[in-house]
Amino acid sequence: MSKRIQHFLSLKDLSSDDLIKIISRAIELKKDKFKEGYEPLKNKTLALVFDKSSTRTRVSFEVAMTHFGGNTLFLSPRDTQLGRGEPIEDTAKVISSMVDLIVIRTHEHSEIELFAKNSSVPVINGLTEKFHPCQLLADMMTYIENKGSISGKKVCWIGDINNMCNSYINASKKFGFELSVSCPKDIIEKKKPVDEIDYYENPIDAAKKADLIVTDVWTSMGDENSSSHDKKFSNYQVNNSITMHANKDYVFMHCLPAHIGEEVSQEVFESNHSVVWQEAENRLHAQKALIEFLMKKE
Ligand code: CP
């Protein structure tokens, strides 16, 4: 396998320029959703190898391929020999010999890295325990649509240091924004991935003058058995007593699904600051631009 394949396993795989180009293209594609005769992926197939549940990621990739004139194959572990122990390396070689692009949603990030290493076509991360880069494309696009460039702005993450938080850390470097992260002290000590961002035990301190406030469920998919984990976050609900410290025109985002009354209050979730439905729809447009970009590189 001599040719270098451009994968998208985390934001670190692409340059800032390429990420900004993808988002600009996504905004253009959104304006012209069903451009007549534009079928760049006619006769191409995208495989979705999903080991976890999904609404937004699955639907947006399937619809993206329909808009582009291509096809999708949805493969859960129940449908493939992966679920019966066939090695990831062998599965990657076989599936990539027949399809043109692969999206994987799985648990361990090392599994997608191993898959990508053995794939002859681009692999996109549809979520691992470490990163969720496709969601960040949609989030950055949504911020830019509403407020313009995010460079130099302040983003506040309140919640667990999970795959979304890690992706925001990567995005802060790629898009040039200031990031403050707030979560319980023991989680900061245990999970802090990098030193060069600001961590706060007190969410009010983190939210001060924020332009964007983001949160996620307290317990990520696959970790649902740990109820003691949720109890630690009871003071970390994004509600008006926290958002009143943000900039007046702050934006609120959540990758969804949300647990209203836990990580976010209903009043914030339904406020004029909340752009969660636009953020969800933008998964489609951002991923269409990503697919186009990766396939052009081929
Ligand atoms: N935000 C997100 O990835 O949603 P799904 O889990 O529904 O795909």
Side-chain angles (χ1 to χ4, degrees):
M1 230 175 283
S2 55
K3 196 173 75 163
R4 189 182 174 275
I5 310 291
Q6 178 65 68
H7 301 298
F8 186 60
L9 307 189
S10 83
L11 293 177
K12 290 188 271 188
D13 286 334
L14 299 182
S15 68
S16 297
D17 279 356
D18 283 341
L19 290 167
I20 288 164
K21 251 187 248 164
I22 289 169
I23 289 169
S24 304
R25 178 64 180 146
I27 293 170
E28 205 176 280
L29 284 165
K30 184 174 179 177
K31 284 189 195 129
D32 204 357
K33 217 171 181 177
F34 307 106
K35 194 173 172 188
E36 212 178 315
Y38 185 63
E39 294 192 329
L41 296 190
K42 199 169 162 61
N43 297 326
K44 303 277 185 196
T45 302
L46 165 76
L48 294 145
V49 182
F50 275 34
D51 204 0
K52 285 176 160 185
S53 307
S54 167
T55 298
R56 281 144 288 268
T57 308
R58 177 178 177 177
V59 173
S60 51
F61 273 112
E62 293 206 14
V63 173
M65 286 303 282
T66 303
H67 287 184
F68 279 169
N71 302 299
T72 52
L73 271 178
F74 185 79
L75 303 166
S76 80
R78 277 189 309 279
D79 310 314
T80 67
Q81 300 288 3
L82 256 182
R84 295 179 63 243
E86 184 168 16
I88 290 173
E89 298 92 315
D90 298 3
T91 307
K93 283 174 195 152
V94 172
I95 296 179
S96 68
S97 72
M98 301 183 205
V99 307
D100 305 280
L101 197 59
I102 301 170
V103 182
I104 297 182
R105 171 168 284 206
T106 191
H107 298 269
E108 304 280 326
H109 194 72
S110 57
E111 289 174 9
I112 199 171
E113 286 177 330
L114 185 59
F115 198 109
K117 209 170 144 196
N118 288 278
S119 171
S120 54
V121 300
V123 172
I124 297 172
N125 182 353
L127 182 144
T128 63
E129 31 88 84
K130 215 163 163 190
F131 299 116
H132 195 5
C134 290
Q135 183 67 52
L136 260 290
L137 290 181
D139 286 20
M140 294 298 101
M141 172 182 175
T142 308
Y143 188 88
I144 291 165
E145 280 185 318
N146 283 284
K147 303 285 178 191
S149 171
I150 197 163
S151 169
K153 302 286 181 177
K154 178 174 174 182
V155 177
C156 168
W157 171 269
I158 298 178
D160 197 8
I161 300 181
N162 62 6
N163 49 13
M164 278 297 295
C165 179
N166 290 333
S167 300
Y168 263 93
I169 291 171
N170 289 344
S172 70
K173 295 171 192 152
K174 294 288 180 182
F175 292 89
F177 58 78
E178 181 193 339
L179 179 66
S180 61
V181 168
S182 183
C183 66
K185 196 175 173 188
D186 67 314
I187 300 215
I188 298 172
E189 281 163 5
K190 202 164 85 190
K191 293 187 168 176
K192 184 166 90 170
V194 291
D195 287 327
E196 63 265 28
I197 58 157
D198 300 319
Y199 298 91
Y200 296 91
E201 196 179 352
N202 183 342
I204 289 174
D205 291 338
K208 272 179 194 154
K209 298 205 181 309
D211 298 291
L212 166 62
I213 297 186
V214 199
T215 190
D216 191 5
V217 289
W218 288 333
T219 302
S220 296
M221 243 190 300
D223 295 332
E224 282 88 355
N225 292 332
S226 123
S227 62
S228 61
H229 177 81
D230 275 17
K231 284 198 192 100
K232 288 183 195 167
F233 284 90
S234 54
N235 294 327
Y236 292 84
Q237 183 189 79
V238 178
N239 54 36
N240 284 347
S241 66
I242 289 179
T243 59
M244 65 186 286
H245 299 277
N247 275 337
K248 279 198 169 47
D249 65 344
Y250 85 93
V251 169
F252 171 74
M253 290 191 203
H254 189 307
C255 63
L256 306 179
H259 293 172
I260 294 171
E262 291 185 18
E263 73 274 6
V264 58
S265 68
Q266 189 149 17
E267 56 195 355
V268 169
F269 192 80
E270 290 176 357
S271 71
N272 290 336
H273 296 278
S274 173
V275 292
V276 296
W277 307 123
Q278 182 184 352
E279 180 189 3
E281 184 197 321
N282 282 344
R283 294 291 306 275
L284 168 65
H285 311 297
Q287 286 156 201
K288 280 173 78 174
L290 174 68
I291 291 173
E292 221 185 39
F293 175 85
L294 295 176
M295 294 305 286
K296 266 186 200 153
K297 287 242 162 189
E298 275 296 277

